[in-house]
Amino acid sequence: MTEPGTDREPPGEPGGPEVRRVQLRDRLAGMTPPGPPGNHALATSPDGTGDAPGRPAARLSGPGPETGPPLERGSAADDEAPEAGSGRGTDEPVTPPTEDELRVRLGLRPLAARTDPATLLWGWVGPLAVATLAAVVRPVGLTHPGRLIFDETYYVKEAFSLLTLGYEGDWPAEDANARFLAGDYSALSTEADYVVHPAVGKWMIALGIQLFGADNGTGWRFSGAVVGALSVLLLARVATRMFRSPLLGTTAGLLLALDGIHLTLSRTALLDIFLSFWVLVGLWFVLRDRESSRAALARRVAAETASGRTLSAWGPRVGPRWWLVGAGAALGLASGVKWSGIYAVAVLGVLAFAWDVAARRAVGTRLWLGSGVFRGGLPAFVALVPTAALTYVAGWFSWFVQPDAYRRQWAADLRAAGDVVPRGWLPDAVNSWWEYHLVMWQFHNNLDSEHTYEAHPAGWLLQLRPTSMYWPDPAPPPEACGAERCVEAIVALGNPAVWWAGAAALLVVVYLAARRDWRAWAVLAGYGAMYVPWLFYSHRTIFTFYSVAFVPYVVLGLVMALGWVMGIVRPPGAAPVGPDDDGDGGVVGTGSPTPLAWVVLALVVGLTVALFVFFWPVWTGRTIAYDAWLLRMWLPRWV
């Protein structure tokens, strides 16, 4: 029976809304059979502090902490979802979806669910352990070589100049490097130097010089070593959160900690390790925005459709996107290290927009595309892009406040001479800054001088042409290694176990992306932002060591493929054993990994560790016999 004047049954009647809500909670509490030993029953209040009063605990079973992807729009479960608050496709009234139901539809955990404490603990212990390992191996012998190697000759002296003058001064003396190493800095002139990268990365190098001095390698390279270790921790936490698996998260951190190109660039005062770090921070914030915005969407749709009201065609707004503001700041800093960070702003911005559109479609918003543009995309753009732009401009603070910086007075000098000032409507400082950027663009786009170790980006994925960064001449004497001929070299070469397996894993990532797995698209976004643009600049002089900017995504792709082999990572539409036990995961694996899957994981990790030990001498410039060095040069183009 129904209440007069309504088409809904009163609470308590068979099939009424309250009964349906209880049934939904009961289904969430017991929707899967008990899993294998080691499964966790999860029950807590929404704040994670205890059992929720008046609410049945959600017991979520599965094969432990490792879970699969959320049900994005297009998955089997999601395609069956009716429009929220409507009775479309049925003759019976449809109960408005609860917030828990919407959260599950969006790939989030129910409000009452929480992760087993042991899982939470290992989600931090593992990443911290591998980060500690990275923090140990990166500073070992950091003072060696005791000279400026490769492009350190530019960035170290520019960093010192920023500390001394507030801008990059010129070092015109031919023996400037030798005098610098001896602690004689008189070769630095007050004449501004023409530099082609913004100053953020050089200020980060300058921090180490400020702490440990400019007369030793620790001062030049300390900041890179710290950022390299922090990158390991961050990637491990990113992977733990993406794949809902402390095992996969710890594995990701370990593989990055033991990668040769990441190790080498963490121990060298170049800019690329800082670019890699800030882009990874930006990805972390974008992932957090995905979770928080979906949680807000579920909450507001449930509130809007309460008591049988129809969801508006545009759906609700989700409020400020503070995580995207953080992403904008991180990516602005990345762009302030190298312009390559601008690609990350674009790619991660598109990724956030696509996720927002998918979420609005999943909750039944009728005008989901328009809603995604105007209620999702525009607020996301405002949070991300202006923040990145303002942060980038702020990174030029020293240039703006120093009147003697390179081209700082360009527009003012033209105006004083009575010449025509291009873009004369701009303030002189801004006009000079813009002109400087045009000059920098011309340099980067037309750099085509030949270099022995330049490498086409098509070979970066397999590390076909690594970069030799240090090869002293004359070589160390025979007594230094106990052989007839000694070698002391530093080669920026990725760990073959990581890069070659990562290239194969990329095929699995593409397959999972085709299955609409959002995590695979996150990995591909890293490739798209930090690798693909270089394919369009293959006409200029570029090097394999630039690939340190996307090695985190090589590792993420490899770990995702390993998780797929082990049954931990499951694509949307795969038959679930149970709901996600930690939120934002989706379906979980079908059982414990097979012995063969464990063998595959052990093989990849074991080879990575073994090759780390094997290549350590040529990654850190240890003195070894020439034959021992040659033994490590597996390919002709590695020499």
Side-chain angles (χ1 to χ4, degrees):
M1 63 179 290
T2 60
E3 295 179 321
T6 73
D7 59 356
R8 302 175 64 235
E9 296 176 273
E13 289 290 326
E18 294 299 321
V19 173
R20 292 194 189 95
R21 290 190 179 95
V22 172
Q23 291 172 342
L24 173 62
R25 290 196 294 266
D26 289 343
R27 288 199 301 273
L28 290 172
M31 63 190 301
T32 63
N39 291 354
H40 307 293
L42 310 173
T44 185
S45 60
D47 63 0
T49 57
D51 291 337
R55 176 181 302 185
R59 298 182 61 83
L60 308 177
S61 300
E66 299 81 22
T67 64
L71 299 176
E72 291 279 17
R73 185 67 180 180
S75 67
D78 193 57
D79 285 342
E80 298 298 325
E83 181 177 333
S86 74
R88 186 180 61 197
T90 178
D91 294 331
E92 298 181 1
V94 177
T95 302
T98 65
E99 185 176 349
D100 269 355
E101 184 179 10
L102 290 167
R103 287 176 65 90
V104 171
R105 194 183 300 179
L106 291 171
L108 305 176
R109 62 181 177 179
L111 290 171
R114 71 176 176 88
T115 306
D116 179 77
T119 301
L120 288 175
L121 176 64
W122 283 108
W124 278 103
V125 170
L128 285 171
V130 292
T132 301
L133 172 64
V136 169
V137 299
R138 274 150 178 76
V140 171
L142 206 58
T143 56
H144 177 76
R147 48 171 276 194
L148 300 175
I149 65 172
F150 208 71
D151 283 351
E152 283 186 339
T153 186
Y154 304 114
Y155 305 130
V156 170
K157 290 184 295 183
E158 289 169 8
F160 178 84
S161 179
L162 285 172
L163 285 174
T164 305
L165 303 176
Y167 61 92
E168 296 95 332
D170 192 19
W171 299 75
E174 292 185 2
D175 61 344
N177 279 4
R179 291 161 64 179
F180 183 86
L181 296 174
D184 177 4
Y185 310 120
S186 60
L188 174 61
S189 74
T190 56
E191 184 74 20
D193 191 16
Y194 168 43
V195 297
V196 294
H197 292 296
V200 170
K202 289 170 279 189
W203 276 115
M204 296 180 75
I205 294 173
L207 178 60
I209 294 176
Q210 182 68 31
L211 292 174
F212 298 101
D215 58 350
N216 63 91
T218 299
W220 318 327
R221 300 164 185 148
F222 175 77
S223 295
V226 170
V227 164
L230 289 176
S231 299
V232 170
L233 174 62
L234 184 57
L235 182 71
R237 287 297 301 162
V238 165
T240 299
R241 200 169 191 93
M242 282 179 61
F243 305 124
R244 299 303 162 190
S245 168
L247 172 64
L248 294 184
T250 302
T251 301
L254 179 64
L255 296 181
L256 186 64
L258 302 182
D259 176 64
I261 203 161
H262 196 269
L263 173 75
T264 303
L265 271 295
S266 297
R267 295 169 50 86
T268 310
L270 303 188
L271 302 179
D272 301 82
I273 193 67
F274 305 114
L275 168 68
S276 178
F277 172 75
W278 287 118
V279 172
L280 189 58
V281 172
L283 174 65
W284 168 259
F285 283 139
V286 170
L287 292 174
R288 296 304 306 270
D289 171 77
R290 183 184 187 277
E291 298 173 12
S292 64
S293 63
R294 288 187 167 218
L297 184 64
R299 182 173 61 253
R300 297 190 180 199
V301 168
E304 187 172 324
T305 59
S307 304
R309 292 177 301 187
T310 301
L311 179 65
S312 63
W314 289 90
R317 296 178 174 85
V318 296
R321 308 284 287 270
W322 296 114
W323 286 112
L324 285 186
V325 173
L331 297 177
L333 289 170
S335 304
V337 174
K338 276 191 167 183
W339 282 359
S340 306
I342 297 173
Y343 295 114
V345 177
V347 172
L348 294 184
V350 170
L351 188 66
F353 167 71
W355 283 341
D356 195 88
V357 170
R360 290 175 180 275
R361 186 179 180 186
V363 299
T365 305
R366 184 155 51 89
L367 300 178
W368 50 268
L369 181 57
S371 176
V373 171
F374 294 104
R375 293 198 168 179
L378 285 180
F381 179 91
V382 170
L384 179 69
V385 177
T387 305
L390 290 174
T391 304
Y392 173 77
V393 174
W396 286 81
F397 72 94
S398 58
W399 185 89
F400 280 106
V401 301
Q402 292 293 336
D404 295 327
Y406 184 77
R407 292 221 169 196
R408 176 62 178 80
Q409 302 300 325
W410 174 82
D413 290 344
L414 283 180
R415 198 181 302 278
D419 295 331
V420 175
V421 181
R423 303 171 302 277
W425 51 274
L426 287 172
D428 286 348
V430 176
N431 203 348
S432 299
W433 180 74
W434 187 256
E435 177 67 18
Y436 192 179
H437 278 66
L438 295 179
V439 173
M440 291 167 64
W441 168 256
Q442 292 173 2
F443 171 86
H444 288 298
N445 200 43
N446 298 304
L447 179 62
D448 58 359
S449 59
E450 292 186 3
H451 193 285
T452 305
Y453 287 96
E454 63 182 297
H456 193 284
W460 293 0
L461 295 181
L462 295 176
Q463 297 289 292
L464 296 183
R465 182 58 170 165
T467 311
S468 176
M469 293 192 162
Y470 175 63
W471 182 277
D473 188 15
E479 56 269 20
C481 65
E484 183 178 345
R485 182 180 178 186
C486 298
V487 168
E488 193 174 280
I490 295 179
V491 182
L493 168 68
N495 191 313
V498 173
W499 283 87
W500 293 354
L506 189 56
L507 300 176
V508 176
V509 174
V510 171
Y511 162 74
L512 293 174
R515 295 287 301 273
R516 302 180 183 180
D517 191 314
W518 68 269
R519 298 163 302 180
W521 283 107
V523 174
L524 293 179
Y527 277 93
M530 295 287 96
Y531 170 61
V532 172
W534 286 112
L535 296 172
F536 300 96
Y537 288 91
S538 59
H539 62 279
R540 55 156 289 182
T541 307
I542 51 181
F543 303 93
T544 298
F545 75 82
Y546 295 169
S547 61
V548 71
F550 68 89
V551 65
Y553 315 104
V554 174
V555 170
L556 282 178
L558 176 54
V559 167
M560 187 173 192
L562 290 172
W564 177 71
V565 169
M566 301 180 74
I568 295 172
V569 172
R570 304 280 291 166
V577 169
D580 172 30
D581 72 345
D582 195 23
D584 202 26
V587 298
V588 298
T590 56
S592 299
T594 65
L596 179 60
W598 283 110
V599 168
V600 172
L601 177 66
L603 183 63
V604 171
V605 173
L607 280 175
T608 300
V609 174
L611 292 180
F612 175 81
V613 175
F614 181 70
F615 283 102
W616 171 264
V618 297
W619 287 338
T620 58
R622 302 301 100 183
T623 302
I624 57 176
Y626 176 82
D627 289 342
W629 170 81
L630 197 60
L631 183 66
R632 290 162 173 81
M633 299 296 102
W634 290 354
L635 302 180
R637 288 184 56 79
W638 285 11
V639 177

